[in-house]
Amino acid sequence: MKKSHTLIVLSIFIFTLVCPMLMGCKKSSKVDAARLNEVIVYTYDSFCGEWGSGPEIARLFEAKTGIKVTFIDCGDGVQILSKALIEKNDPYADVLLGLDNNLTEKAGESGVFEKFKPSNASVLADGLEEELGGNWIMTPYDYSPFAIIWNSLSGIPAPACLEDLTKDIYKKKLILMDARTSTPGLGFETWVNKVYGDKAADYMKRLEPSILTMAPGWSVGYGMFTDGEAPLVISYTTSPAYHIEYGEGDQYKALTFSDGHVMQVEGAGLVKGAKNPGGAKKFIEFLISESAQNVIPGTQWMFPSNKNVVLPASYDTIEMPKILK
């Protein structure tokens, strides 16, 4: 009896240990199954916001595949990578969307991406993937040269080059973005480095009196510009198309500088260890399809990476400046 009693107690003890484990496994499989119907995308505010490309692209993707897209606003491209690095050992996102060619080296070194070449990659405009490193860590979905946008009704003359921006007439007249948190901020830093080389720091010191603020991201900085807080802002050659499209006239000009310009190419990449890699791959392939790319010009106000997309008439006046290599 004593031996039987011991066996009964032991059996109950083992059951109390094993049963929750089995229940836990069963619950986990349900969670995993649910995640196969959702793609989680880390991106930036102006993409996933009300007026960005994100909501419509998500709607079209779900209608085609039945897979839901959940966008998580991380602020801007630099912050997207930072968040993914923190979660590297147990990633939450399936796709990172919004890093650019100025972050290619850091993205490659980070180890957060799984290489993936979309099956429909042939639709991409020539040279864009090479701008992102040519190794399919990221797939390009839009692009545009950086430019200084000038309010032609401001009463100040248009600068003709980067050096002009250091003149006294432009004191507190320029809005830039922080390179630590913003891809346009990093783009301006890259632009200065291309033009000035080892004298870039001296240039930035001379430029300081002209800078009204270093905004944390493009949305904040460009919003300040359109609110009239300063007549100059770092943005894109394509930005004036927005104002033309919505009947705001052509007072906002993308200036062509004699120095030449640098290009931004934005990409989306598959997260290594993603919970839904299959859904993530489908999303990236859909992102460069004509269905999604037709949304880009009128919401992101950038050139679509798909070479087959027809641009709106508001893009007709955009001039492509000389691009520095």
Side-chain angles (χ1 to χ4, degrees), residues 154-195:
S154 63
I156 66 162
C161 60
L162 289 173
E163 193 61 37
D164 279 356
L165 293 173
T166 66
K167 293 179 178 178
D168 290 343
I169 193 173
Y170 300 115
K171 185 175 182 179
K172 299 297 181 185
K173 297 291 194 297
L174 174 64
I175 295 171
L176 296 179
M177 289 104 209
D178 193 329
R180 296 169 298 179
T181 56
S182 163
T183 52
L186 187 58
F188 184 79
E189 186 178 274
T190 301
W191 193 1
V192 170
N193 286 332
K194 289 273 189 184
V195 173

Short mmCIF file of all heavy atoms in Angstrom, two decimals, residues 154-195:
data_model
loop_
_atom_site.label_atom_id
_atom_site.label_comp_id
_atom_site.label_asym_id
_atom_site.label_seq_id
_atom_site.Cartn_x
_atom_site.Cartn_y
_atom_site.Cartn_z
N SER A 154 8.84 83.96 -49.91
CA SER A 154 9.39 84.35 -48.61
C SER A 154 10.11 85.70 -48.62
O SER A 154 10.34 86.28 -47.57
CB SER A 154 10.37 83.29 -48.11
OG SER A 154 11.48 83.18 -49.00
N GLY A 155 10.49 86.15 -49.81
CA GLY A 155 11.20 87.43 -49.90
C GLY A 155 12.70 87.31 -49.82
O GLY A 155 13.41 88.31 -49.94
N ILE A 156 13.23 86.11 -49.62
CA ILE A 156 14.68 85.92 -49.63
C ILE A 156 15.07 85.25 -50.95
O ILE A 156 14.30 84.48 -51.51
CB ILE A 156 15.18 85.09 -48.43
CG1 ILE A 156 14.68 83.64 -48.52
CG2 ILE A 156 14.79 85.73 -47.11
CD1 ILE A 156 15.46 82.70 -47.64
N PRO A 157 16.27 85.54 -51.46
CA PRO A 157 16.69 84.92 -52.73
C PRO A 157 16.99 83.44 -52.55
O PRO A 157 17.29 82.98 -51.43
CB PRO A 157 17.97 85.70 -53.08
CG PRO A 157 18.49 86.19 -51.76
CD PRO A 157 17.29 86.46 -50.92
N ALA A 158 16.91 82.71 -53.63
CA ALA A 158 17.20 81.27 -53.58
C ALA A 158 18.70 81.03 -53.53
O ALA A 158 19.45 81.58 -54.34
CB ALA A 158 16.62 80.59 -54.81
N PRO A 159 19.18 80.24 -52.59
CA PRO A 159 20.60 79.85 -52.60
C PRO A 159 20.88 78.96 -53.81
O PRO A 159 20.00 78.24 -54.28
CB PRO A 159 20.76 79.08 -51.29
CG PRO A 159 19.39 78.58 -50.96
CD PRO A 159 18.44 79.59 -51.49
N ALA A 160 22.13 79.02 -54.31
CA ALA A 160 22.49 78.26 -55.51
C ALA A 160 23.40 77.07 -55.21
O ALA A 160 23.66 76.27 -56.11
CB ALA A 160 23.16 79.18 -56.52
N CYS A 161 23.88 76.98 -53.98
CA CYS A 161 24.79 75.89 -53.61
C CYS A 161 24.80 75.76 -52.10
O CYS A 161 24.26 76.62 -51.37
CB CYS A 161 26.20 76.17 -54.14
SG CYS A 161 26.94 77.69 -53.50
N LEU A 162 25.42 74.71 -51.60
CA LEU A 162 25.51 74.51 -50.15
C LEU A 162 26.21 75.67 -49.45
O LEU A 162 25.81 76.09 -48.37
CB LEU A 162 26.23 73.19 -49.85
CG LEU A 162 25.47 71.90 -50.17
CD1 LEU A 162 26.39 70.69 -49.98
CD2 LEU A 162 24.23 71.75 -49.30
N GLU A 163 27.26 76.18 -50.07
CA GLU A 163 28.02 77.27 -49.45
C GLU A 163 27.15 78.51 -49.25
O GLU A 163 27.28 79.22 -48.25
CB GLU A 163 29.26 77.60 -50.28
CG GLU A 163 30.27 78.49 -49.57
CD GLU A 163 30.83 77.88 -48.29
OE1 GLU A 163 31.05 76.65 -48.24
OE2 GLU A 163 31.03 78.64 -47.32
N ASP A 164 26.25 78.78 -50.20
CA ASP A 164 25.36 79.94 -50.06
C ASP A 164 24.56 79.90 -48.77
O ASP A 164 24.23 80.95 -48.19
CB ASP A 164 24.38 80.00 -51.24
CG ASP A 164 25.00 80.62 -52.48
OD1 ASP A 164 26.16 81.07 -52.41
OD2 ASP A 164 24.31 80.63 -53.52
N LEU A 165 24.23 78.71 -48.30
CA LEU A 165 23.40 78.57 -47.09
C LEU A 165 24.08 79.13 -45.85
O LEU A 165 23.42 79.39 -44.84
CB LEU A 165 23.05 77.09 -46.85
CG LEU A 165 22.13 76.43 -47.88
CD1 LEU A 165 22.01 74.93 -47.59
CD2 LEU A 165 20.75 77.08 -47.86
N THR A 166 25.40 79.34 -45.90
CA THR A 166 26.13 79.87 -44.74
C THR A 166 26.09 81.40 -44.69
O THR A 166 26.56 81.99 -43.72
CB THR A 166 27.60 79.41 -44.77
OG1 THR A 166 28.27 80.00 -45.89
CG2 THR A 166 27.70 77.89 -44.85
N LYS A 167 25.52 82.06 -45.70
CA LYS A 167 25.50 83.52 -45.74
C LYS A 167 24.59 84.10 -44.67
O LYS A 167 23.59 83.48 -44.28
CB LYS A 167 25.07 84.00 -47.13
CG LYS A 167 26.06 83.66 -48.23
CD LYS A 167 25.55 84.13 -49.59
CE LYS A 167 26.55 83.84 -50.70
NZ LYS A 167 26.06 84.25 -52.04
N ASP A 168 24.90 85.31 -44.24
CA ASP A 168 24.14 85.97 -43.17
C ASP A 168 22.66 86.12 -43.50
O ASP A 168 21.81 86.10 -42.60
CB ASP A 168 24.74 87.36 -42.87
CG ASP A 168 26.09 87.27 -42.19
OD1 ASP A 168 26.42 86.17 -41.66
OD2 ASP A 168 26.84 88.27 -42.19
N ILE A 169 22.34 86.27 -44.79
CA ILE A 169 20.95 86.48 -45.19
C ILE A 169 20.06 85.29 -44.82
O ILE A 169 18.84 85.41 -44.70
CB ILE A 169 20.88 86.77 -46.70
CG1 ILE A 169 19.50 87.31 -47.08
CG2 ILE A 169 21.22 85.53 -47.52
CD1 ILE A 169 19.39 87.77 -48.52
N TYR A 170 20.70 84.12 -44.61
CA TYR A 170 19.93 82.92 -44.29
C TYR A 170 19.97 82.55 -42.80
O TYR A 170 19.64 81.43 -42.42
CB TYR A 170 20.43 81.74 -45.13
CG TYR A 170 20.31 81.99 -46.62
CD1 TYR A 170 21.45 82.09 -47.43
CD2 TYR A 170 19.07 82.16 -47.21
CE1 TYR A 170 21.33 82.33 -48.79
CE2 TYR A 170 18.95 82.42 -48.58
CZ TYR A 170 20.07 82.51 -49.35
OH TYR A 170 19.96 82.77 -50.69
N LYS A 171 20.32 83.51 -41.98
CA LYS A 171 20.38 83.26 -40.54
C LYS A 171 19.01 82.82 -40.02
O LYS A 171 18.00 83.49 -40.25
CB LYS A 171 20.85 84.52 -39.80
CG LYS A 171 21.06 84.29 -38.30
CD LYS A 171 21.62 85.55 -37.64
CE LYS A 171 21.87 85.31 -36.15
NZ LYS A 171 22.44 86.51 -35.48
N LYS A 172 18.98 81.66 -39.36
CA LYS A 172 17.75 81.07 -38.80
C LYS A 172 16.68 80.84 -39.86
O LYS A 172 15.48 80.87 -39.59
CB LYS A 172 17.18 81.95 -37.67
CG LYS A 172 18.10 82.13 -36.49
CD LYS A 172 18.38 80.82 -35.78
CE LYS A 172 19.28 81.04 -34.56
NZ LYS A 172 19.66 79.75 -33.92
N LYS A 173 17.09 80.57 -41.09
CA LYS A 173 16.14 80.40 -42.19
C LYS A 173 16.05 78.95 -42.69
O LYS A 173 15.28 78.66 -43.59
CB LYS A 173 16.54 81.30 -43.37
CG LYS A 173 16.49 82.80 -43.08
CD LYS A 173 15.08 83.29 -42.88
CE LYS A 173 14.97 84.81 -42.92
NZ LYS A 173 15.71 85.48 -41.84
N LEU A 174 16.82 78.05 -42.10
CA LEU A 174 16.93 76.68 -42.61
C LEU A 174 16.49 75.65 -41.56
O LEU A 174 16.93 75.70 -40.42
CB LEU A 174 18.38 76.39 -43.03
CG LEU A 174 18.73 74.97 -43.46
CD1 LEU A 174 17.99 74.59 -44.74
CD2 LEU A 174 20.25 74.84 -43.67
N ILE A 175 15.62 74.74 -41.99
CA ILE A 175 15.20 73.64 -41.12
C ILE A 175 15.86 72.35 -41.61
O ILE A 175 15.73 71.96 -42.78
CB ILE A 175 13.66 73.46 -41.13
CG1 ILE A 175 12.99 74.70 -40.52
CG2 ILE A 175 13.25 72.21 -40.37
CD1 ILE A 175 11.49 74.72 -40.69
N LEU A 176 16.60 71.72 -40.72
CA LEU A 176 17.22 70.43 -41.01
C LEU A 176 16.63 69.37 -40.09
O LEU A 176 15.84 69.67 -39.20
CB LEU A 176 18.74 70.50 -40.82
CG LEU A 176 19.51 71.45 -41.74
CD1 LEU A 176 21.00 71.43 -41.40
CD2 LEU A 176 19.31 71.06 -43.21
N MET A 177 17.00 68.11 -40.30
CA MET A 177 16.58 67.01 -39.43
C MET A 177 17.81 66.37 -38.79
O MET A 177 18.90 66.41 -39.34
CB MET A 177 15.78 65.96 -40.21
CG MET A 177 14.40 66.43 -40.62
SD MET A 177 14.36 66.84 -42.38
CE MET A 177 13.08 68.09 -42.39
N ASP A 178 17.59 65.82 -37.62
CA ASP A 178 18.67 65.20 -36.84
C ASP A 178 19.13 63.91 -37.51
O ASP A 178 18.33 62.99 -37.73
CB ASP A 178 18.16 64.91 -35.43
CG ASP A 178 19.27 64.57 -34.46
OD1 ASP A 178 20.28 63.99 -34.88
OD2 ASP A 178 19.12 64.88 -33.26
N ALA A 179 20.41 63.82 -37.84
CA ALA A 179 20.96 62.64 -38.51
C ALA A 179 20.91 61.39 -37.64
O ALA A 179 20.98 60.27 -38.15
CB ALA A 179 22.41 62.91 -38.94
N ARG A 180 20.77 61.57 -36.33
CA ARG A 180 20.72 60.42 -35.43
C ARG A 180 19.37 59.73 -35.44
O ARG A 180 19.26 58.57 -35.02
CB ARG A 180 21.06 60.86 -34.00
CG ARG A 180 22.47 61.39 -33.83
CD ARG A 180 22.64 62.06 -32.48
NE ARG A 180 21.76 63.22 -32.35
CZ ARG A 180 21.69 63.98 -31.26
NH1 ARG A 180 22.45 63.70 -30.21
NH2 ARG A 180 20.86 65.02 -31.21
N THR A 181 18.34 60.41 -35.90
CA THR A 181 16.99 59.85 -35.85
C THR A 181 16.27 59.88 -37.19
O THR A 181 15.21 59.26 -37.34
CB THR A 181 16.12 60.62 -34.84
OG1 THR A 181 16.13 62.02 -35.18
CG2 THR A 181 16.66 60.46 -33.43
N SER A 182 16.82 60.58 -38.18
CA SER A 182 16.09 60.85 -39.40
C SER A 182 16.91 60.53 -40.64
O SER A 182 18.07 60.93 -40.74
CB SER A 182 15.66 62.32 -39.43
OG SER A 182 15.29 62.74 -40.71
N THR A 183 16.32 59.84 -41.62
CA THR A 183 17.05 59.57 -42.85
C THR A 183 17.29 60.84 -43.69
O THR A 183 18.36 60.95 -44.29
CB THR A 183 16.35 58.49 -43.70
OG1 THR A 183 14.97 58.84 -43.89
CG2 THR A 183 16.42 57.14 -43.01
N PRO A 184 16.36 61.81 -43.76
CA PRO A 184 16.71 63.06 -44.44
C PRO A 184 17.85 63.81 -43.72
O PRO A 184 18.69 64.44 -44.38
CB PRO A 184 15.42 63.88 -44.40
CG PRO A 184 14.34 62.86 -44.33
CD PRO A 184 14.91 61.77 -43.46
N GLY A 185 17.89 63.71 -42.40
CA GLY A 185 19.01 64.31 -41.66
C GLY A 185 20.32 63.64 -42.01
O GLY A 185 21.34 64.30 -42.23
N LEU A 186 20.29 62.32 -42.08
CA LEU A 186 21.49 61.57 -42.46
C LEU A 186 21.83 61.84 -43.92
O LEU A 186 23.01 61.91 -44.29
CB LEU A 186 21.25 60.08 -42.23
CG LEU A 186 22.43 59.14 -42.41
CD1 LEU A 186 23.58 59.52 -41.49
CD2 LEU A 186 22.00 57.69 -42.17
N GLY A 187 20.80 62.03 -44.75
CA GLY A 187 21.03 62.34 -46.15
C GLY A 187 21.73 63.67 -46.34
O GLY A 187 22.64 63.80 -47.18
N PHE A 188 21.32 64.68 -45.56
CA PHE A 188 21.99 65.98 -45.66
C PHE A 188 23.45 65.87 -45.22
O PHE A 188 24.35 66.45 -45.84
CB PHE A 188 21.27 67.03 -44.81
CG PHE A 188 21.84 68.42 -44.95
CD1 PHE A 188 21.52 69.21 -46.05
CD2 PHE A 188 22.72 68.94 -44.01
CE1 PHE A 188 22.05 70.48 -46.21
CE2 PHE A 188 23.26 70.20 -44.16
CZ PHE A 188 22.93 70.98 -45.26
N GLU A 189 23.68 65.10 -44.16
CA GLU A 189 25.05 64.88 -43.68
C GLU A 189 25.89 64.21 -44.76
O GLU A 189 27.05 64.59 -44.99
CB GLU A 189 25.01 64.01 -42.42
CG GLU A 189 26.33 63.83 -41.73
CD GLU A 189 26.20 63.01 -40.47
OE1 GLU A 189 25.91 63.61 -39.40
OE2 GLU A 189 26.38 61.77 -40.53
N THR A 190 25.31 63.22 -45.44
CA THR A 190 26.01 62.54 -46.54
C THR A 190 26.31 63.50 -47.68
O THR A 190 27.40 63.47 -48.27
CB THR A 190 25.15 61.37 -47.06
OG1 THR A 190 24.90 60.45 -45.98
CG2 THR A 190 25.85 60.64 -48.20
N TRP A 191 25.36 64.35 -48.00
CA TRP A 191 25.51 65.36 -49.05
C TRP A 191 26.70 66.27 -48.74
O TRP A 191 27.58 66.50 -49.59
CB TRP A 191 24.22 66.15 -49.13
CG TRP A 191 24.05 67.03 -50.33
CD1 TRP A 191 24.91 67.21 -51.38
CD2 TRP A 191 22.92 67.87 -50.62
NE1 TRP A 191 24.40 68.09 -52.29
CE2 TRP A 191 23.17 68.51 -51.85
CE3 TRP A 191 21.72 68.12 -49.96
CZ2 TRP A 191 22.26 69.41 -52.42
CZ3 TRP A 191 20.80 69.00 -50.52
CH2 TRP A 191 21.08 69.63 -51.74
N VAL A 192 26.75 66.77 -47.53
CA VAL A 192 27.84 67.65 -47.12
C VAL A 192 29.18 66.92 -47.19
O VAL A 192 30.19 67.46 -47.66
CB VAL A 192 27.59 68.19 -45.69
CG1 VAL A 192 28.83 68.91 -45.15
CG2 VAL A 192 26.38 69.13 -45.69
N ASN A 193 29.20 65.66 -46.74
CA ASN A 193 30.44 64.89 -46.78
C ASN A 193 30.92 64.65 -48.21
O ASN A 193 32.12 64.68 -48.49
CB ASN A 193 30.25 63.55 -46.07
CG ASN A 193 30.20 63.69 -44.56
OD1 ASN A 193 30.77 64.61 -44.00
ND2 ASN A 193 29.49 62.78 -43.90
N LYS A 194 29.96 64.43 -49.13
CA LYS A 194 30.32 64.23 -50.54
C LYS A 194 30.96 65.49 -51.14
O LYS A 194 31.90 65.41 -51.92
CB LYS A 194 29.07 63.86 -51.34
CG LYS A 194 28.53 62.48 -51.08
CD LYS A 194 29.18 61.45 -51.95
CE LYS A 194 28.46 60.10 -51.83
NZ LYS A 194 29.13 59.05 -52.61
N VAL A 195 30.41 66.64 -50.77
CA VAL A 195 30.87 67.90 -51.36
C VAL A 195 32.14 68.41 -50.69
O VAL A 195 33.06 68.89 -51.36
CB VAL A 195 29.75 68.96 -51.30
CG1 VAL A 195 30.27 70.33 -51.75
CG2 VAL A 195 28.56 68.54 -52.16
#
